[in-house]
């Protein structure tokens, strides 16, 4: 009986992996496997703590960090459905298309902007594949180079903030870091926020973009036949370029800058992003009214939102005070007026996107994706609770501690396991199943300089590793997304061979992060101390 009890944790994880790879729904597989093995463990005398399950689920549903998830999803889906990406690509092609490799560089830059706007890998790869791949092939681009550039730029949503991956990783690693410090005897543990992860991922994400562009520029010089200049570039004035580029860039700066600047929490910034995406979509979907008067409510609403953010940093707008100074009272009145302007613009924007048949599909998609994410969160909570009760945490700790090579061996083993799982599972399953098991153990291990492992560095390593997994043939998810929308003239072998240099760039960045952890830890230290 003892032998059965000690082996239930291994059997539980094996059954979970088999069921997931067989294609069963993730959330129900997580919860069903956990409850089945909880019953088996109870029959054999295991001590279970399922009584804590309701409080864990309630904690998930009231987690303020996770509220940012549906808001970022809404932001991404709204920008995707409102054709903002098409305007971005046209603007970039008009600016760079006349140079060799310019169209591929434009695709990479647009992919980076979409990644910072949406954070949804599948949507970005499909959107870029549908819009840019036929154009690149038509103008003589190599199918391998075109496919590689699109797939690689589409996965930047894994690492460039604001990213849903980083939001969920931040929540999981915050809990793991707190547990690791409590186990080490620190009963006043430091916290890890999503803002820390956003700051940590910014430099590696931009480094990836720069390396992608450097590779494409090198190919354009060495093999100009693979990346020719467009024979005739459509005239693209500065005004039209500004109208296409400035609003999305301002939205990204507002969302990311408010988080990094300490003006707003990730959840508050996500709400700003959702409102901004709605306003941008109303301008893009308004195909009938182009006059200044018709766009004024939306423009004024956007300006009012920016002014309101600035006002919150300059003045104390709390109304629940015994005495309010005259200056603060004026700020409160101004804030009320700004909120009224925002509400007016939102009403106009909602009416326009509804009439353009954009709002309903976006709301449906947001509800479907959000329900899927939170169902997985609840299933993963049940699984991790039962897995720990059956001794899984001790098993993982013993396995990682006994590996040769110390911290390096443990990190390599975890990264290799996550890399392989990335062939078959989405980032949600990996984040909710693997991270809670391995992160508390890894965060107790020393780095080469003698300090304990940084949680933000570990998060960035995991994010880049998963991004590499999604790109690697033959099972990378991004390759399947691109294969589904690529023309028949593009062979699967072209996609696989075209992505190899970009996978090499990803691995190079992983090596740089290992040998130079300050690429991830420097900016959070500067911003948050």
């Amino acid at each position: 009986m003892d032998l059965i009890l000690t082996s239930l944790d291994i059997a539980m994880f094996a059954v979970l992996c088999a069921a997931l790879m067989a294609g069963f729904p993730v959330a129900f597989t997580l919860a069903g496997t956990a409850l089945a093995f909880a019953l088996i463990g109870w029959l054999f005398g295991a001590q279970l703590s399922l009584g804590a399950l309701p409080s864990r689920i309630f904690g998930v549903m009231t987690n303020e960090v996770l509220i940012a998830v549906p808001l970022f999803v809404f932001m991404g889906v709204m920008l995707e459905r409102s054709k903002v990406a098409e305007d971005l690509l046209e603007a970039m092609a008009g600016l760079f298309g006349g140079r060799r490799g310019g169209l591929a560089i434009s695709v990479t830059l647009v992919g980076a902007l979409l990644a910072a706007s949406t954070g949804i890998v599948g949507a970005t790869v499909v959107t870029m594949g549908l819009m840019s791949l036929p154009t690149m092939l038509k103008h003589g681009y190599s199918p391998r180079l075109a496919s590689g550039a699109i797939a690689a730029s589409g996965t930047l949503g894994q690492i460039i903030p604001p990213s849903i991956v980083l939001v969920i990783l931040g929540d999981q690693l915050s809990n793991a870091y707190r547990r690791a410090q409590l186990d080490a005897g620190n009963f006043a543990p430091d916290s890890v926020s999503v803002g820390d992860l956003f700051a940590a991922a910014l430099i590696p994400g931009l480094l990836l973009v720069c390396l992608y562009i450097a590779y494409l520029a090198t190919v354009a010089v060495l093999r100009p036949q693979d990346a020719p200049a467009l024979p005739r570039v459509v005239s693209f004035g500065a005004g039209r370029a500004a109208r296409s580029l400035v609003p999305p860039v301002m939205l990204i700066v507002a969302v990311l800058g408010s988080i990094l600047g300490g003006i707003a929490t990730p959840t508050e910034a996500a709400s700003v992003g959702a409102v901004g995406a709605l306003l941008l979509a109303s301008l893009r979907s308004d195909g009938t009214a182009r006059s200044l008067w018709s766009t004024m409510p939306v423009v004024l609403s956007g300006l009012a939102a920016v002014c309101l953010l600035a006002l919150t940093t300059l003045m104390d707008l709390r109304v629940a005070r015994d005495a309010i100074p005259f200056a603060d009272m004026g700020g409160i009145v101004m804030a009320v007026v700004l909120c009224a302007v925002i509400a007016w613009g939102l009403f106009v924007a909602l009416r326009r996107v509804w009439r353009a048949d954009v709002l309903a599909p976006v709301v449906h998609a947001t509800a479907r994706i959000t329900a899927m994410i939170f169902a997985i969160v609840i299933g993963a909570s049940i699984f991790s609770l039962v897995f720990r009760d059956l001794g899984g945490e001790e098993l993982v700790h013993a396995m990682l501690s006994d590996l040769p090579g110390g911290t390096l061996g443990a990190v390599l083993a975890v990264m290799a396991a996550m890399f392989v799982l990335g062939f078959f599972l989405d980032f949600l399953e990996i984040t909710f199943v693997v991270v809670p098991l391995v992160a508390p153990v890894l965060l107790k291990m020393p780095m080469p300089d003698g300090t304990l492992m940084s949680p933000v560095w570990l998060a960035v390593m995991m994010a880049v590793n998963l991004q590499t997994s999604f790109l690697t043939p033959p099972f990378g998810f991004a390759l399947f997304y691109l294969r589904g929308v690529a023309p028949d003239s593009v062979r699967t072998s072209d996609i696989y061979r075209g992505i190899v240099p970009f996978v090499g760039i990803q691995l190079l960045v992983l090596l740089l992060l290992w040998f130079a952890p300050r690429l991830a830890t420097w900016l959070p230290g500067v911003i948050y101390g």
Side-chain angles (χ1 to χ4, degrees), residues 17 20-23 155 158 414-431 434 462 464-481 496 499 503 506-507:
C17 292
L20 290 176
M21 292 179 185
T155 59
Q158 293 283 114
V414 170
M415 292 297 169
M418 293 180 70
F419 183 84
V420 174
L421 289 174
F423 289 157
F424 309 102
L425 307 179
D426 193 41
F427 75 89
L428 289 170
E429 295 93 309
I430 298 173
T431 302
V434 178
M462 287 179 170
V464 176
N465 184 41
L466 287 176
Q467 181 186 358
T468 308
S469 177
F470 294 159
L471 277 177
T472 303
F475 300 113
F477 277 137
L479 310 182
F480 292 150
Y481 289 135
Y496 285 177
I499 205 62
V503 173
Q506 297 279 145
L507 296 175

Side-chain angles (χ1 to χ4, degrees), residues 249-302:
V249 172
M250 288 183 60
L251 178 61
I252 295 166
V253 171
V255 173
L256 192 56
S258 61
I259 297 174
L260 299 182
I263 301 173
T265 65
T267 301
E268 293 166 346
S271 65
V272 173
V275 170
L278 178 61
L279 297 178
L280 285 181
S282 70
L283 292 175
R284 178 62 177 80
S285 61
D286 183 19
T288 56
R290 295 291 183 181
S291 65
L292 177 63
W293 176 253
S294 66
T295 59
M296 184 181 298
V298 176
V299 174
L300 289 179
S301 181

Side-chain angles (χ1 to χ4, degrees), residues 27 29 36 51 54 96 143 176 262 266 306-307 327 335 392 408 425 435 443:
T29 300
F96 297 102
V306 174
C307 294
L408 175 60
L425 307 179
V435 174
L443 292 175

Side-chain angles (χ1 to χ4, degrees), residues 15-359:
V15 169
L16 173 70
C17 292
L20 290 176
M21 292 179 185
F24 289 99
V26 177
F28 302 121
T29 300
L30 287 167
T33 303
L35 294 176
F37 275 85
L39 177 61
I40 297 172
W42 176 74
L43 292 175
F44 283 93
Q47 297 295 320
L48 301 173
S49 56
L50 290 179
L53 189 58
S55 61
R56 288 172 65 94
I57 295 176
F58 182 77
V60 169
M61 294 295 101
T62 56
N63 189 332
E64 291 187 3
V65 174
L66 294 180
I67 297 175
V69 171
L71 294 171
F72 277 131
V73 171
F74 178 88
M75 173 183 167
V77 176
M78 179 64 76
L79 291 176
E80 176 202 350
R81 298 293 178 91
S82 59
K83 310 299 184 184
V84 172
E86 291 185 12
D87 286 348
L88 282 173
L89 188 60
E90 288 180 5
M92 289 294 184
L95 294 174
F96 297 102
R99 300 169 177 83
R100 286 184 297 182
L103 190 54
I105 293 174
S106 301
V107 167
T108 303
L109 292 174
V110 172
L113 289 174
L114 288 179
S117 305
T118 67
I120 303 174
V121 171
T124 306
V125 173
V126 170
T127 301
M128 297 299 294
L130 288 173
M131 289 190 310
S132 55
L133 186 55
T135 302
M136 296 176 78
L137 296 176
K138 176 183 176 182
H139 290 97
Y141 270 73
S142 164
R144 297 177 188 174
L145 184 66
S147 302
I150 292 171
S153 60
T155 59
L156 289 171
Q158 293 283 114
I159 187 65
I160 294 182
S163 164
I164 297 175
V165 178
L166 296 177
V167 173
I168 297 174
L169 265 177
D171 177 67
Q172 294 297 308
L173 279 173
S174 177
N175 298 330
Y177 189 50
R178 190 178 303 112
R179 284 177 50 207
Q181 291 191 84
L182 289 173
D183 292 343
N186 180 9
F187 297 103
D190 298 327
S191 61
V192 179
S193 68
V194 175
D196 294 328
L197 266 61
F198 282 2
L202 190 58
I203 292 178
L206 294 178
L207 177 61
L208 275 174
V209 176
C210 293
L211 290 176
Y212 286 171
I213 293 176
Y215 166 72
L216 293 171
T218 303
V219 171
V221 172
L222 299 180
R223 299 199 307 269
Q225 71 277 7
D226 289 347
L230 299 187
R232 182 178 60 86
V233 179
V234 178
S235 177
F236 210 88
R240 185 181 172 191
R243 286 195 300 270
S244 299
L245 293 175
V246 172
V249 172
M250 288 183 60
L251 178 61
I252 295 166
V253 171
V255 173
L256 192 56
S258 61
I259 297 174
L260 299 182
I263 301 173
T265 65
T267 301
E268 293 166 346
S271 65
V272 173
V275 170
L278 178 61
L279 297 178
L280 285 181
S282 70
L283 292 175
R284 178 62 177 80
S285 61
D286 183 19
T288 56
R290 295 291 183 181
S291 65
L292 177 63
W293 176 253
S294 66
T295 59
M296 184 181 298
V298 176
V299 174
L300 289 179
S301 181
L303 293 175
V306 174
C307 294
L308 190 59
L309 280 175
L311 194 62
T312 57
T313 63
L314 299 175
M315 309 186 72
D316 187 354
L317 301 182
R318 293 175 300 155
V319 295
R321 288 182 285 171
D322 294 333
I324 302 177
F326 180 76
D328 287 350
M329 181 59 72
I332 292 172
V333 173
M334 186 179 298
V336 171
V337 174
L338 292 174
C339 287
V341 174
I342 294 173
W344 175 43
L346 282 177
F347 174 77
V348 174
L350 285 169
R351 186 176 62 181
R352 288 179 180 174
V353 295
W354 173 266
R355 290 178 175 177
D357 198 24
V358 172
L359 183 61

